[in-house]
Amino acid sequence: MIERYSTPQMAAVWTDEARMTAWLQVELAVCEAWAQLGKVPKEAVEDIKVRASFDVDRVAEIEEVTQHDVVAFVSCVAENIGEASKYLHYGLTSSDVLDTGLALQLRAAGELLEEETVKLGRSLQRRAGENRDTIMIGRTHGVHAEPITFGMVLGLWAFEVHRGLQRLREAIRQISVGKISGAVGTYANVDPPVEQITMEILGLEAAPISTQIVQRDRHAHFMASLALLASTIEKIALQIRHYQRSEVMEAEEYFAPGQKGSSAMPHKRNPIVSERLCGQARVIRANMLAAFENIPLWHERDISHSSVERVILPDSTILLHYMLEKAGWLIDKLTVHPENMAANLDKSYGLVYSQRVLLALVKAGMLRDDAYELVQRNAMKAWEEKASFQGLLKADGDVTRWLKTAELRACFDPAHHLRNVGVIARRVADLRW
């Protein structure tokens, strides 16, 4: 999955090279901190900075013997440093390096996701403006309700993506936390100022208290923000799949020249990207559950979480990055059919204006329950006979006793339903990303 869906930037965050580069950043920052505190010779640290390097294949070779990734990494780096290597990994436990390095990777991945989320949000915002007055039927329970505009639909999605962006930014902030506090978080062999200086160098926050690890509620929160964004994308894609149904055809995915929809049926134009996005959201939500199950660990730490994270963190960030890019493409190139929207609006015989008739009768003096019964009686007849709702009302003396022809006709003017769309459109236009 990583190979298939990764973009070069996101894939680069999760390579072995990138992971060990993050570890090396942590190790060098700790050495610098010790030097600033006068506990390690500055000349030795300068020598370490110049000589420190690693080779992924060599680390793997050493790990075959040690069966420990960080030990193998430190040994490989030490081979390249020489005498000054005695100050490398000084006072640290493996998770000091692992969790702080992981924070660097997650921050980088999160920033790439943030960038794509902004792009998607701006696309929705732009298309909402374009379709501000594109009238269509609003549906509840899948049944015609009252007129809305397609701009409202797109604007609704834009606001939800905006909330997802805010949650993602907060999750990035909470995950950008490291620890240099030793084997069980007591700073037994490394002083707290080392941790503080290290985090300042790396641009991270220091965990205020830790065990051997940074606590996994932070990672679960990060994964939850990803799952919510994926679910929003699924919501958008699912709606587009409905719009593209042959009986509806109000909007559809872009179908490129030369594209084929079926090996058997040449006429087919299927919402394949939308369907793909709906399926992929399930993967990220499932991974979120695994992240939540990583929170409870034995005492100060076990390693039941680490094997899970090696899968769910790269896969989820890479997959969501792909989903955001595809969702942006979907919205940018979405084909809208206003004429079909208008035609579908009329398919329910004018019944979508029933509330207007109800309120007009109440305003004219009828009791609400009586007015409701009168309107519903005609509405059910329109459904059953496939007849004009307005025509039936005009022929009903119980209705015309209360409403004049002009008053009744005014109830069927869609402009009334859309008179405040401008207020909603301004809210969408004012979104800042």
Side-chain angles (χ1 to χ4, degrees):
M1 186 172 67
I2 289 176
E3 298 262 336
R4 175 74 184 273
Y5 295 122
S6 62
T7 58
Q9 305 96 314
M10 184 62 83
V13 172
W14 296 110
T15 62
D16 289 339
E17 185 82 23
R19 184 176 76 258
M20 293 180 197
T21 296
W23 293 354
L24 187 57
Q25 284 181 265
V26 176
E27 293 281 6
L28 294 179
V30 170
C31 288
E32 177 63 30
W34 279 120
Q36 288 187 29
L37 294 169
K39 301 296 180 67
V40 169
K42 290 184 178 180
E43 304 78 26
V45 173
E46 291 305 314
D47 190 34
I48 290 171
K49 287 179 181 179
V50 171
R51 295 175 178 271
S53 63
F54 63 88
D55 178 81
V56 171
D57 291 336
R58 175 58 180 152
V59 173
E61 182 182 330
I62 298 171
E63 189 177 352
E64 283 292 319
V65 178
T66 64
Q67 295 297 300
H68 194 291
D69 52 359
V70 175
V71 170
F73 168 77
V74 172
S75 296
C76 177
V77 176
E79 288 177 345
N80 297 310
I81 294 174
E83 176 67 21
S85 66
K86 61 187 176 183
Y87 299 115
L88 190 69
H89 203 71
Y90 188 76
L92 304 187
T93 190
S94 296
S95 288
D96 288 331
V97 179
L98 289 170
D99 279 6
T100 306
L102 181 59
L104 294 174
Q105 287 180 280
L106 286 172
R107 182 176 64 185
E111 287 170 352
L112 290 172
L113 293 174
E114 180 181 358
E115 182 181 327
E116 288 303 318
T117 304
V118 169
K119 289 179 184 177
L120 173 59
R122 286 176 175 163
S123 293
L124 287 164
Q125 188 177 33
R126 176 178 55 81
R127 297 299 310 259
E130 293 171 1
N131 289 277
R132 175 189 184 276
D133 300 311
T134 305
I135 190 169
M136 68 185 302
I137 186 60
R139 299 171 174 90
T140 57
H141 305 275
V143 178
H144 282 202
E146 292 186 347
I148 59 172
T149 71
F150 193 47
M152 290 176 60
V153 173
L154 292 159
L156 183 84
W157 296 342
F159 268 103
E160 187 162 336
V161 169
H162 191 268
R163 292 192 296 276
L165 176 64
Q166 291 174 316
R167 286 188 289 260
L168 176 62
R169 285 171 172 165
E170 174 59 19
I172 293 170
R173 185 189 70 80
Q174 288 205 28
I175 203 64
S176 298
V177 169
K179 55 89 68 179
I180 303 294
S181 56
V184 288
T186 59
Y187 302 99
N189 297 300
V190 57
D191 297 330
V194 173
E195 180 181 67
Q196 193 58 47
I197 294 170
T198 299
M199 297 309 152
E200 288 172 2
I201 292 170
L202 298 174
L204 300 173
E205 292 293 321
I209 184 171
S210 63
T211 57
Q212 192 171 99
I213 61 169
V214 171
Q215 301 309 289
R216 259 45 196 178
D217 63 291
R218 296 179 182 275
H219 304 73
H221 179 211
F222 183 81
M223 282 296 303
S225 74
L226 268 56
L228 280 164
L229 266 171
S231 296
T232 293
I233 292 171
E234 181 184 14
K235 171 182 178 174
I236 293 168
L238 187 66
Q239 189 87 325
I240 290 170
R241 287 168 62 190
H242 165 75
Y243 291 143
Q244 191 162 336
R245 291 171 62 196
S246 301
E247 304 92 319
V248 180
M249 197 46 68
E250 293 177 346
E252 62 177 325
E253 288 184 12
Y254 174 71
F255 196 79
Q259 185 174 340
K260 304 293 187 288
S262 167
S263 63
M265 297 170 282
H267 72 278
K268 293 283 279 177
R269 297 189 347 179
N270 303 325
I272 57 170
V273 172
S274 296
E275 290 173 336
R276 190 185 308 160
L277 293 172
C278 287
Q280 289 167 336
R282 300 168 192 169
V283 175
I284 296 180
R285 283 196 298 271
N287 287 349
M288 178 193 71
L289 177 59
F292 275 64
E293 292 179 345
N294 279 347
I295 295 173
L297 301 172
W298 283 19
H299 304 291
E300 279 57 60
R301 182 235 180 168
D302 62 59
I303 63 167
S304 60
H305 64 290
S306 63
S307 57
V308 178
E309 289 173 355
R310 289 170 193 249
V311 176
I312 65 171
L313 295 177
D315 278 10
S316 297
T317 52
I318 287 169
L319 184 52
L320 182 59
H321 194 254
Y322 171 86
M323 290 178 68
L324 286 164
E325 283 193 332
K326 279 299 180 184
W329 173 90
L330 184 62
I331 296 303
D332 280 337
K333 300 182 77 67
L334 188 69
T335 303
V336 181
H337 300 294
E339 68 287 353
N340 290 344
M341 291 178 175
N344 286 339
L345 183 65
D346 293 334
K347 283 183 178 178
S348 49
Y349 322 113
L351 290 168
V352 297
Y353 302 105
S354 68
Q355 184 176 191
R356 287 285 291 145
V357 179
L358 169 66
L359 295 176
L361 288 168
V362 171
K363 187 177 180 181
M366 284 192 77
L367 293 175
R368 192 181 192 283
D369 283 352
D370 293 340
Y372 192 102
E373 184 178 349
L374 180 56
V375 173
Q376 188 181 46
R377 183 180 74 199
N378 284 280
M380 294 306 104
K381 190 174 181 181
W383 274 126
E384 291 159 6
E385 297 181 3
K386 296 181 173 55
S388 165
F389 181 49
Q390 185 174 176
L392 292 171
L393 291 168
K394 287 179 179 179
D396 190 331
D398 292 336
V399 175
T400 57
R401 185 180 303 125
W402 294 92
L403 296 177
K404 297 176 182 177
T405 301
E407 291 173 325
L408 191 55
R409 186 166 52 247
C411 294
F412 289 80
D413 182 0
H416 172 82
H417 291 272
L418 308 181
R419 69 191 190 283
N420 290 315
V421 163
V423 175
I424 299 170
R426 283 193 294 275
R427 293 172 184 166
V428 178
D430 287 344
L431 272 174
R432 294 294 175 264
W433 302 92

